[in-house]
Amino acid sequence: MHIPAITGTGVYTPSQVITNAELVAAFNAYVDLYNTENAVDIDAGICDAKAYSSEGFIEKASGIKQRYVIDKQGILDPTVMHPLLRQRADDEPSLMAEIGMNAARQALDQAKKSSHDVDLVICAASNMERAYPAVAIEIQNLLGTGGFAFDMNVACSSATFGIQAAADMIRAGSIRSALVINPEICSAHLEWRDRDCHFIFGDVATATLIEREQDANSAHFKVISTRCATEFSNNIRNNNGYLRRSRPTGMADQRDMQFMQNGRKVFKEVLPLVSEHIARHMADGCVQASDLKRLWLHQANKTMNDFIGKKVLGRTPDPAEQPNILQDYANTSSAGSIIAFSKYSNDLQDGAKGLICSFGAGYSVGSVLVERQG
Ligand code: CO8
């Protein structure tokens, strides 16, 4: 059996930033427009007036201070409230492929490898911009890698589940290396007119190169073990699928075609699920809390991460032991824990162990135990 290792990572960060102040100003302008346009119905009790959002609430409830997006103009226009993305021709690279390739090239550069060294491309993300052909196959073609490619979707856990799939194929010997790519264009499936969630997400793409350890060209992270778990829940849901047209209501832009969640319930239910999952994964691998030098957790909510870090380590982790990036990037779905890993792992010493863990819709939890080599 071969030993898999993470030999490179890459992060594509869009150039446009929306601060909480800009976001709330645009949202509140939209609320004023909505309440004025619907004043008669609101007065008659037919519909409710919308309430303002607040910067104070957003930072306190989530820890988020800003988010990167591919188009901020449309999102901040109170008469639009979604990104405005150019329709691409079928013979142009799709947007997911373009940003995914950017991250993939960084991962290959870090590992000192070329696209010819890659046997498998997995595009693992919480939404695909089309059903087929697979975005992963488009990336395979654009990068010029060999082998095969496929898309997979496990919402926020897409990256860790993708890493497990790739690591298992490397262990079994069917491939030598894989790129797991996570282009997350969350701004296009967020309802920016809903104050309960309008602050949560941002855009990014990450990539992880996984190879046989013996093929690593430089310092890397040996994958000690991986573990995935799922448990069905409707508390995070998106109903925008191919059956949509066949509904009696047709393709009307309804709320359930965008991200929906019962955030409070998710918070309560996912915390024990994740803490127990990590505890079992560590126990089965005979890894003690004192062995773990770093936790790279899913980036949805700072309080949630503080709680999980404390539960896993049995004490309050130093900020450097459990780095958060959500204050800058917001929730970037499956990419969040990989951004944290990519930005805060190179300082670890030879032999240091760490844990990448994602959690979210499904529910799904994925964890990857790694050990620095070199
Ligand atoms: N400004 C001011 N007040 C607000 C706002 C706002 N923006 N939003 C809500 N409030 C009000 C509410 O109306 C409520 O008022 P009241 O008490 O009068 O009813 C009060 O503030 C408290 O509201 P909540 O109970 O909703 O607030 P919470 O403290 O629970 O915080 C959070 C909300 C931040 C959403 C929190 O619940 C949370 O982070 N939960 C965990 C969520 C989570 O981890 N989800 C994972 C989702 S990600 C995932 O799985 C990927 C999905 C696929 C990607 C989709 C991409 C788009």
Side-chain angles (χ1 to χ4, degrees):
M1 198 168 79
H2 301 281
I3 297 171
I6 295 175
T7 56
T9 55
V11 179
Y12 161 80
T13 303
S15 59
Q16 302 182 34
V17 176
I18 300 178
T19 62
N20 285 351
E22 290 174 295
L23 184 76
V24 167
F27 181 86
N28 291 350
Y30 157 74
V31 167
D32 287 338
L33 278 179
Y34 177 92
N35 288 347
T36 304
E37 274 169 18
N38 294 283
V40 174
D41 285 354
I42 292 167
D43 287 346
I46 295 168
C47 68
D48 292 332
K50 286 192 186 281
Y52 282 161
S53 182
S54 101
E55 278 179 71
F57 171 85
I58 293 171
E59 194 172 337
K60 187 161 179 283
S62 67
I64 296 165
K65 295 183 181 173
Q66 61 167 47
R67 67 286 298 140
Y68 293 94
V69 292
I70 292 170
D71 170 60
K72 90 185 248 189
Q73 202 188 337
I75 294 167
L76 294 184
D77 181 338
T79 64
V80 179
M81 302 292 279
H82 58 74
L84 293 168
L85 304 173
R86 173 179 74 79
Q87 175 69 49
R88 295 178 177 218
D90 286 355
D91 58 3
E92 286 183 85
S94 64
L95 185 53
M96 283 184 80
E98 183 179 290
I99 66 174
M101 277 202 307
N102 183 303
R105 288 203 173 105
Q106 293 179 45
L108 289 168
D109 285 350
Q110 192 188 48
K112 302 186 179 70
K113 289 291 164 88
S114 86
S115 54
H116 304 295
D117 298 312
V118 177
D119 294 338
L120 164 64
V121 174
I122 300 178
C123 180
S126 52
N127 255 324
M128 296 299 158
E129 69 175 87
R130 61 171 182 268
Y132 46 82
V135 175
I137 303 177
E138 186 184 1
I139 296 175
Q140 175 197 18
N141 178 52
L142 292 165
L143 281 176
T145 68
F148 62 107
F150 59 86
D151 289 349
M152 62 185 280
N153 173 352
V154 201
C156 288
S157 294
S158 299
T160 51
F161 278 52
I163 289 172
Q164 161 147 318
D168 280 348
M169 284 187 246
I170 288 170
R171 289 182 188 112
S174 59
I175 59 166
R176 289 190 80 99
S177 67
L179 270 169
V180 178
I181 303 176
N182 323 107
E184 291 287 7
I185 311 171
C186 299
S187 64
H189 50 118
L190 176 59
E191 179 49 88
W192 296 90
R193 295 171 297 187
D194 181 343
R195 84 167 183 158
D196 286 345
C197 66
H198 77 117
F199 54 90
I200 293 180
F201 291 99
D203 300 333
V204 82
T206 51
T208 307
L209 182 67
I210 304 154
E211 302 183 82
R212 289 183 187 174
E213 191 178 26
Q214 70 201 57
D215 293 341
N217 273 344
S218 50
H220 56 274
F221 285 87
K222 176 167 76 177
V223 176
I224 304 170
S225 60
T226 54
R227 177 161 300 199
C228 297
T230 49
E231 190 177 300
F232 186 68
S233 167
N234 276 320
N235 285 327
I236 312 169
R237 194 169 169 117
N238 177 324
N239 287 332
N240 188 17
Y242 77 103
L243 292 180
R244 192 76 196 189
R245 188 182 59 168
S246 54
R247 284 191 187 187
T249 49
M251 291 297 287
D253 181 20
Q254 298 190 5
R255 178 65 190 88
D256 68 338
M257 291 169 75
Q258 312 302 331
F259 168 85
M260 298 180 295
Q261 79 165 351
N262 185 337
R264 220 17 57 157
K265 272 198 167 166
V266 173
F267 197 105
K268 268 199 186 145
E269 293 174 3
V270 165
L271 278 183
L273 203 68
V274 175
S275 310
E276 285 156 27
H277 174 94
I278 296 176
R280 278 198 301 273
H281 188 174
M282 286 166 59
D284 290 351
C286 299
V287 173
Q288 312 294 318
S290 55
D291 297 332
L292 284 183
K293 295 289 175 267
R294 199 138 308 165
L295 291 172
W296 300 280
L297 298 180
H298 178 53
Q299 301 287 315
N301 184 294
K302 183 178 181 305
T303 311
M304 232 168 160
N305 284 4
D306 289 348
F307 179 95
I308 293 167
K310 199 169 174 183
K311 195 91 184 153
V312 171
L313 298 185
R315 59 181 170 80
T316 303
D318 292 338
E321 285 179 297
Q322 186 203 290
N324 282 326
I325 53 85
L326 66 89
Q327 64 282 3
D328 300 322
Y329 282 84
N331 183 340
T332 51
S333 195
S334 70
S337 56
I338 304 301
I339 304 174
F341 176 74
S342 183
K343 289 188 182 292
Y344 298 100
S345 57
N346 272 338
D347 60 309
L348 287 178
Q349 303 290 310
D350 185 45
K353 292 190 176 75
L355 180 106
I356 303 170
C357 184
S358 65
F359 39 88
Y363 295 133
S364 58
V365 192
S367 50
V368 184
L369 268 168
V370 294
E371 182 178 325
R372 176 80 174 182
Q373 300 291 309

